Amino acid sequence: MAETADDWSLALDLEAPPIYYNKADYIQTASGNKVSRNSVLCGSQNITLVGNSVIKPGTVLRGDLQLLKIGKHVIVGENCVLRPSHKKYKGSIAFFPMTIGDHVTVGAGSVVCAASIGSCVNIGENCIISKRCILKDNSLVLPDTILPPDTIVPPLTVFGGNPGVYLGDLPESQLFVQKQHAITEYKRFLPSQKGAGATSPKSTKAKAASP
Amino acid sequence: MAAKTVAAPTVPFEVQKDAVVCQEAKVQGVHSIKVGQGTVIHPASLINAQAGPIVIGSFNIIEEQVEIVNSSEVPLVIGDHNMLEVGVKVLGEGGQRMGDGNLLECRSVLPPGCSIGHGCTLGACTSLEEGEVLSDETVVVAPGLRHLEPGAREAHVQAVSKFIEVLKETLPRCHHLRKSNVKT
């Protein structure tokens, strides 16, 4: 099983050339997370990145509103906004913690206010996932989709359009396809050789959590 | 990080009492910017008084990646109790661009020359035609698809007021705020 997975990633590696980034522009943590210095992490004590995730520049993670739990091999594209959603509850407004599973890719320019996102979910570019949406495992959201509030995307389905509606089913192989996609995206994201001067990840993390 | 590079505002920036303005919110331009009482400005938003002043009323919520740019000498005025969600753009010349109790959903755009009345809703990713004036309590769902929603203004005002109460408690926990600099 593990062998075949490796073979696949090699095959895909040939198709996708590596993307090089300047080492000074990213913070690499011990668990393999690569977080751009130009991203905005609010309340980083509330943000959990399990490992091997990539956060690209311009992205805003709102940990100050509620807990934000992100699994491993999660790729968040440029200028995304990940913010926990809220709901009227007992007369006032309560924010929900937001959980994102493993092997999730979020395309550039998307706004994600979902309550929970399962594992192996693929979100395209410029999508808007409105408040309190639930995206189950192995689902696919096409680029430029606007999911209305409280939408539930069932497992192995494709959603797309404005407003986002059910468009079709996916084969069960989607689990492996998306897993490989996320892992290769992480693997091909490499520091360029000339980049130098990166500081230790711990001091920068503390800086982000300033107040 | 990015927030540290933002220098202390050289812009005349007036923050009224009780306004919650995060330090990470970018304020640019040479003209004055006034923020009214109780307004909440999230980090990573951009307010640019490029060619003229900007006046933001009281009890508004301005979320991240919002862009408010004034490219004329006339002051750009935004009313009270408006909710500008992630990625909203208010572009172009000044004037009374926005009334009270409006809801602008994610990534909607108010292009140059447009203005909206009171209690309007702009749906996600929608935009108005250039020079259009939107009448009170209109809901824009998609291009060419709109309807009226009586009583929307009152509902928006209530929702925004409640939301501000919560944000006033939440935001200062994790952010440095701009201090009020208006003497009363």
Side-chain angles (χ1 to χ4, degrees):
Chain A
M1 175 63 219
E3 272 174 38
T4 50
D6 273 338
D7 289 343
W8 279 8
S9 86
L10 278 175
L12 287 166
D13 259 336
L14 290 175
E15 285 167 33
I19 300 170
Y20 291 109
Y21 65 89
N22 190 351
K23 211 174 172 184
D25 294 344
Y26 279 82
I27 299 162
Q28 185 154 11
T29 64
S31 49
N33 295 312
K34 293 170 181 177
V35 182
S36 168
R37 280 172 201 275
N38 291 324
S39 61
V40 182
L41 306 185
C42 306
S44 42
Q45 67 269 38
N46 287 340
I47 301 175
T48 327
L49 291 165
V50 173
N52 295 2
S53 292
V54 179
I55 311 288
K56 293 197 178 163
T59 295
V60 184
L61 303 187
R62 297 302 302 269
D64 52 340
L65 304 171
Q66 248 305 349
L67 288 177
L68 196 57
K69 203 163 169 269
I70 297 176
K72 58 185 184 207
H73 286 115
V74 175
I75 317 290
V76 183
E78 287 90 354
N79 300 321
C80 284
V81 178
L82 269 63
R83 61 190 334 257
S85 52
H86 56 84
K87 195 183 184 181
K88 238 196 213 165
Y89 180 70
K90 285 185 183 165
S92 79
I93 286 171
F95 280 94
F96 304 127
M98 179 168 166
T99 51
I100 295 180
D102 301 337
H103 312 291
V104 174
T105 52
V106 182
S110 291
V111 179
V112 180
C113 308
S116 86
I117 294 179
S119 294
C120 303
V121 175
N122 188 349
I123 299 172
E125 288 99 42
N126 298 317
C127 285
I128 293 182
I129 313 292
S130 303
K131 291 168 198 106
R132 304 177 298 273
C133 282
I134 296 173
L135 279 73
K136 299 277 192 190
D137 295 356
N138 315 321
S139 52
L140 174 69
V141 180
L142 297 179
D144 302 307
T145 303
I146 300 174
L147 284 185
D150 302 294
T151 310
I152 295 174
V153 179
L156 292 166
T157 52
V158 183
F159 269 62
N162 175 15
V165 285
Y166 166 78
L167 293 179
D169 288 322
L170 288 165
E172 277 170 38
S173 61
Q174 173 68 10
L175 167 70
F176 302 101
V177 173
Q178 175 61 19
K179 213 170 182 172
Q180 280 312 310
H181 175 61
I183 292 172
T184 37
E185 278 294 307
Y186 175 76
K187 276 189 183 161
R188 67 192 272 233
F189 197 69
L190 297 167
S192 61
Q193 295 305 311
K194 21 176 199 183
T199 49
S200 77
K202 272 201 178 139
S203 65
T204 39
K205 255 268 132 84
K207 219 170 154 192
S210 44
Chain B
M1 292 196 11
K4 301 281 170 195
T5 59
V6 180
T10 49
V11 197
F13 189 54
E14 258 181 49
V15 180
Q16 292 282 348
K17 232 177 111 190
D18 286 347
V20 182
V21 181
C22 295
Q23 285 278 357
E24 290 102 322
K26 282 181 210 142
V27 178
Q28 293 173 354
V30 286
H31 294 270
S32 75
I33 295 170
K34 282 181 193 164
V35 175
Q37 185 205 350
T39 290
V40 176
I41 300 184
H42 285 261
S45 53
L46 172 73
I47 300 170
N48 189 351
Q50 209 174 49
I54 292 177
V55 182
I56 297 172
S58 44
F59 304 104
N60 296 299
I61 300 178
I62 295 174
E63 290 188 348
E64 42 297 22
Q65 295 186 349
V66 167
E67 260 178 59
I68 300 172
V69 181
N70 187 0
S71 60
S72 76
E73 288 172 14
V74 192
L76 192 153
V77 182
I78 289 176
D80 303 338
H81 296 101
N82 294 301
M83 171 92 174
L84 279 71
E85 288 190 357
V86 181
V88 166
K89 283 185 180 134
V90 179
L91 306 169
E93 297 97 52
Q96 175 75 37
R97 296 294 299 278
M98 214 182 279
D100 301 343
N102 295 298
L103 170 64
L104 278 75
E105 287 184 10
C106 293
R107 298 254 148 87
S108 53
V109 182
L110 200 60
C114 282
S115 65
I116 56 179
H118 305 295
C120 296
T121 306
L122 282 187
C125 291
T126 51
S127 171
L128 295 179
E129 280 164 43
E130 222 158 284
E132 206 179 344
V133 177
L134 203 63
S135 52
D136 291 1
E137 301 187 329
T138 312
V139 181
V140 180
V141 184
L145 189 63
R146 46 185 71 174
H147 59 89
L148 291 177
E149 190 187 1
R153 181 178 172 178
E154 204 43 49
H156 288 167
V157 168
Q158 275 183 9
V160 167
S161 312
K162 251 186 200 156
F163 202 16
I164 285 178
E165 270 174 43
V166 176
L167 288 175
K168 253 187 197 167
E169 285 173 24
T170 338
L171 285 180
R173 275 189 229 148
C174 292
H175 296 282
H176 291 295
L177 303 180
R178 286 241 165 98
K179 297 229 163 59
S180 161
N181 51 8
V182 179
K183 288 177 189 94
T184 42

